[in-house]
Amino acid sequence: MVSLKQLDLTDLSVRQVNEYLHGELLEERPAGVEILNPDGLHSIAAGLDTKVNVDILGHAGYFIAGMNQQARVTIHGNVGWSVAENMMSGVVRVKGHASECAGASGHGGLLVIEGDASSRCGISLKGTEIVVGGSVGHFSAFMAQAGTLVVCGDAGPNLGDSLYEATIYVRGSIHSFGADAQEEEMQADDFEKVTDLLSRAEMNYDAREFKRVSSARSLYHWNADAHQEY
């Protein structure tokens, strides 16, 4: 077993790095993988499907750790669009900030963004649990169908627009709700869920500081009398 594998993107292409992660990694079984000099490159560590710790040492681009299964991927910097998009399981952690559409269409696992996330964080969420240490931009959790978005800072305009069965928890201020999203009273199971997610995300906040946002379910069925006004 290799104790630690280092892959340097100064010398290797993203394709070569990902080929290692999908091939030789399964034979070598290193204790962990460090990816050096990402320098904003895209699609690093995409499609992993094995239990391994991957550390990306620097800022990275679009679609980092997309479709992740089982792996624990940590980005030691900021990321571009769609980090952990369509992730299935495992843990993806961003030590910095994330651009638009973080966790898009995620089905499972845990996505932690220690800084802020831009617009449409958790768009079309399908089961992933997302914890953002800072604030989120406009239209976050747009059409989120299942899963959880925890925001430790503020939420931008149109939070939870066209929300289905996902749940949002916000500690700070909410600029405005999107169509069919509403604030509801926190219940005992909400406090338990938020406390658990904050612990797993290593965020030191009190669940009692959070507000619950969920769907009013008025968009579930077309209403001829609404005249397109919902």
Side-chain angles (χ1 to χ4, degrees):
M1 176 184 286
V2 178
S3 58
L4 180 67
K5 182 74 173 184
Q6 289 190 325
L7 303 171
D8 194 336
L9 281 163
T10 301
D11 305 316
L12 301 171
S13 67
V14 172
R15 179 185 292 273
Q16 288 173 312
V17 167
N18 286 343
E19 283 178 346
Y20 171 83
L21 294 173
H22 286 266
E24 293 176 57
L25 169 71
L26 304 178
E27 300 173 3
E28 293 184 358
R29 294 290 178 185
V33 176
E34 288 184 344
I35 299 176
L36 311 179
N37 299 304
D39 293 340
L41 292 170
H42 309 313
S43 303
I44 302 169
L48 294 180
D49 188 9
T50 189
K51 291 183 178 179
V52 62
N53 293 327
V54 176
D55 287 273
I56 300 173
L57 304 181
H59 304 307
Y62 304 160
F63 299 104
I64 304 303
M67 301 174 289
N68 188 67
Q69 295 187 70
Q70 304 188 67
R72 179 178 292 267
V73 180
T74 303
I75 302 96
H76 297 262
N78 304 324
V79 292
W81 280 57
S82 298
V83 62
E85 60 86 26
N86 205 37
M87 73 179 290
M88 298 293 178
S89 61
V91 179
V92 177
R93 178 180 291 269
V94 179
K95 303 292 285 185
H97 306 296
S99 187
E100 300 189 24
C101 301
S105 298
H107 287 252
L110 174 66
L111 169 60
V112 179
I113 299 165
E114 296 187 3
D116 299 325
S118 185
S119 60
R120 299 178 180 85
C121 177
I123 183 173
S124 195
L125 195 65
K126 295 178 175 67
T128 295
E129 294 170 318
I130 303 176
V131 180
V132 178
S135 300
V136 296
H138 63 270
F139 280 100
S140 287
F142 173 57
M143 294 187 69
Q145 295 141 49
T148 309
L149 171 61
V150 177
V151 182
C152 299
D154 302 326
N158 300 302
L159 177 68
D161 191 87
S162 303
L163 190 64
Y164 287 86
E165 293 301 310
T167 307
I168 308 167
Y169 300 98
V170 181
R171 177 172 171 267
S173 64
I174 299 171
H175 182 282
S176 61
F177 295 114
D180 215 30
Q182 65 180 11
E183 183 177 344
E184 296 182 347
E185 185 177 351
M186 292 277 285
Q187 304 294 328
D189 57 342
D190 294 306
F191 292 118
E192 184 176 341
K193 179 191 286 188
V194 173
T195 298
D196 175 65
L197 285 172
L198 290 172
S199 175
R200 289 164 58 196
E202 301 175 9
M203 302 284 181
N204 188 25
Y205 295 109
D206 189 332
R208 291 173 294 184
E209 300 174 332
F210 287 78
K211 298 175 283 290
R212 171 190 166 99
V213 178
S214 60
S215 175
R217 298 188 174 126
S218 62
L219 295 181
Y220 275 33
H221 304 284
W222 182 69
N223 182 355
D225 297 324
H227 303 294
Q228 303 302 317
E229 298 296 330
Y230 289 91

